Amino acid sequence: MARKLTPRKRVLQALRVCVPQLGVNSLRRFEHGWDNHVYELNHSLVAKLSKSSVGGFKLLKEACLLPHLRAELGEIIPRELAKCVVNIEGEECVLLVYEAIPGWVSTERGIRLTTSTHEVCHMLAQLMEKIHSISPPNECSEMVPVHDTPRKWAEALRSEVFRLIDMAGSTLPSRLRNTILERVVEYAKRLQSLGFTPKLIHGDIDPRNLLVDDTGRLVGLIDWGEAAVGDPAIDYAGLFYVEEHIGKHVLEIQREEYPQYLSPRVGFHRDLAPLYWVAYGASSGNHNLTEAGLRLLRESFPS
């Protein structure tokens, strides 16, 4: 039986097929990338190759959205250079190549160094409001899920939680799993009364996807594969994992919704987020990520 290609060789093969005119002088793997193999290409580009059909769909969605988002949000959105579907070892994969945004993942460099916390929070609040005011382009309508009623959003939420629980498997203790499911059902029943207002969302705001420059100024927002029309609370919740006090302050100063409606929804999504760590940690064998997620889930969902 032939040995499977390594991720690096799969990416190289995809590049040769899709963008043969692009010479490969250097290729460095990024550590993050749950649904895709992600590499820095020639010190100035990013190449992403899907690991599965789900990852491929997300990359096609991202490729469709990037030009429109860049027109609306400016240079914090990467410029797409190439995308294609390629067959590798009998599997249909999607390759996306875009220009890298010079900067640091905000876990490597604090999101504020010389920039004041107050200034950072106002910048993030304005960015959230701008994202949530954008309408998805018509050409991407078949790729961007639309959960525009409390019932549709609740169904999408339940489906996602079941998917993550299935990925986590036996790593997630049964009592904790049941407590999470009970909380999801309870939250879905309350959603109508919590002022749910559907808008375009990034869907994966976290430190890995926010890029900063040497002064701590935000210069990039990447990885739009989870974009959807849904609850903007999920984007605000992600800011708590950048820095908790930043998440709190942005929530206080945002002008999208009354805090008494938005805050409970943000709190729910903030508490649920570590389920992703457990699921993807379990599926990738990252024990530290799994344990960190379990610790936070036990704090948020006590039995």
Side-chain angles (χ1 to χ4, degrees):
M1 184 176 178
R3 294 177 61 183
K4 294 197 68 172
L5 294 175
T6 63
R8 178 185 178 86
K9 289 183 177 179
R10 290 171 71 88
V11 171
L12 285 170
Q13 181 173 325
L15 288 168
R16 282 195 295 268
V17 172
C18 296
V19 279
Q21 73 279 12
L22 186 64
V24 178
N25 300 316
S26 67
L27 194 64
R28 180 177 68 89
R29 187 174 186 176
F30 288 123
E31 289 188 11
H32 60 280
W34 288 349
D35 293 310
N36 309 294
H37 302 297
V38 186
Y39 283 79
E40 179 192 70
L41 173 63
N42 295 346
H43 305 293
S44 61
L45 305 174
V46 174
K48 301 168 76 171
L49 183 70
S50 61
K51 296 179 181 179
S52 65
S53 58
V54 172
F57 177 81
K58 291 178 181 179
L59 282 186
L60 289 174
K61 182 205 307 184
E62 183 175 12
C64 187
L65 285 171
L66 284 180
H68 182 70
L69 292 168
R70 187 174 172 88
E72 294 285 343
L73 300 174
E75 294 184 355
I76 67 167
I77 304 299
R79 187 194 306 275
E80 178 211 333
L81 295 182
K83 69 174 183 295
C84 79
V85 179
V86 59
N87 188 289
I88 300 178
E89 297 182 303
E91 299 175 14
E92 192 174 83
C93 302
V94 176
L95 176 74
L96 173 62
V97 180
Y98 57 75
E99 291 181 354
I101 295 176
W104 304 84
V105 173
S106 61
T107 50
E108 298 172 349
R109 293 284 180 94
I111 198 167
R112 53 179 178 80
L113 293 174
T114 61
T115 309
S116 72
T117 300
H118 185 70
E119 184 180 347
V120 166
C121 291
H122 273 276
M123 177 176 57
L124 288 170
Q126 291 171 2
L127 176 61
M128 294 297 103
E129 292 170 20
K130 181 67 174 177
I131 292 169
H132 301 153
S133 70
I134 296 172
S135 298
N138 291 333
E139 59 267 29
C140 304
S141 60
E142 294 185 1
M143 299 181 186
V144 179
V146 177
H147 313 297
D148 55 358
T149 67
R151 180 176 179 178
K152 288 180 181 178
W153 181 250
E155 289 174 352
L157 180 60
R158 282 193 292 264
S159 176
E160 180 71 348
V161 168
F162 277 117
R163 182 182 75 86
L164 295 172
I165 286 175
D166 185 60
M167 286 179 64
S170 60
T171 303
L172 188 67
S174 58
R175 181 176 294 182
L176 180 56
R177 179 191 65 222
N178 292 338
T179 302
I180 291 171
L181 289 173
E182 289 170 4
R183 176 95 169 267
V184 169
V185 171
E186 176 192 343
Y187 176 75
K189 292 177 180 177
R190 298 173 54 220
L191 195 53
Q192 180 72 59
S193 65
L194 292 176
F196 170 80
T197 305
K199 298 175 182 177
L200 178 68
I201 57 174
H202 178 280
D204 192 18
I205 299 286
D206 80 2
R208 297 171 301 118
N209 295 332
L210 293 169
L211 304 180
V212 298
D213 65 13
D214 288 334
T215 70
R217 183 176 62 90
L218 181 68
V219 293
L221 178 55
I222 60 174
D223 288 359
W224 288 81
E226 300 292 346
V229 173
D231 190 351
I234 199 170
D235 284 347
Y236 285 100
L239 294 176
F240 281 77
Y241 289 94
V242 176
E243 287 187 24
E244 185 166 351
H245 71 280
I246 286 179
K248 287 180 178 178
H249 191 45
V250 172
L251 192 56
E252 290 170 357
I253 64 175
Q254 60 78 31
R255 297 178 296 177
E256 283 196 80
E257 296 187 39
Y258 291 116
Q260 63 264 36
Y261 293 121
L262 183 58
S263 294
R265 296 178 0 244
V266 170
F268 172 80
H269 287 289
R270 180 194 62 214
D271 291 347
L272 192 62
L275 183 57
Y276 283 90
W277 305 3
V278 176
Y280 282 94
S283 66
S284 64
N286 188 332
H287 180 72
N288 291 337
L289 183 63
T290 300
E291 287 302 311
L294 286 172
R295 177 178 55 80
L296 291 174
L297 286 175
R298 289 189 179 105
E299 292 175 1
S300 299
F301 298 91
S303 301

